[in-house]
Amino acid sequence: QVQLVESGGGLVRPGGSLRLSCAASGFPLDDYAIGWYRQAPGKEREGVACITRHDPSTYYQETVRGRFTIIRDNAKNTVFLQMSSLKPEDTAVYYCAAADHFSCQQGMDYWGRGTLVNVSS
């Protein structure tokens, strides 16, 4: 059974850091492009970061570039999103997703259920 499970969310102060994890079961993550997405209250879901299949190249939304890093650990079959210098506007439910394509641009095939990140003082 294909499954993605996110963890690592929580409450953090502005300027703080969090590391989100996306653990996969039922398929090898390295065979898929993996993306992190987020949805803030009252807003549409948006892409945050993507790591391509096998290559791997990484891509970031402009608002998080330089603050977030997407990392794949094939031995753990897990993809991480390291977030630093967090801002209140980063508050959202964060989802990871997998695409049976080279990149995230062609649509995602599997989704996790999300983990909440709340950046607040």
Side-chain angles (χ1 to χ4, degrees), residues 36-110:
W36 281 98
Y37 296 77
R38 67 186 181 186
Q39 187 167 20
K43 295 187 177 181
E44 293 187 354
R45 186 173 61 197
E46 60 180 1
V48 174
C50 177
I51 186 166
T52 57
R53 175 165 62 184
H54 298 316
D55 190 337
S57 298
T58 55
Y59 301 90
Y60 298 94
Q61 186 198 98
E62 185 176 352
T63 62
V64 307
R65 191 174 296 122
R67 299 188 297 122
F68 291 11
T69 304
I70 185 169
I71 303 165
R72 191 202 315 264
D73 186 330
N74 291 334
K76 296 181 179 179
N77 211 33
T78 299
V79 171
F80 301 98
L81 184 68
Q82 180 66 49
M83 306 186 295
S84 60
S85 302
L86 283 162
K87 306 175 181 180
E89 51 263 44
D90 294 319
T91 295
V93 177
Y94 283 71
Y95 301 88
C96 70
D100 190 10
H101 305 292
F102 176 72
S103 73
C104 301
Q105 293 181 332
Q106 294 164 279
M108 310 308 286
D109 298 298
Y110 306 109

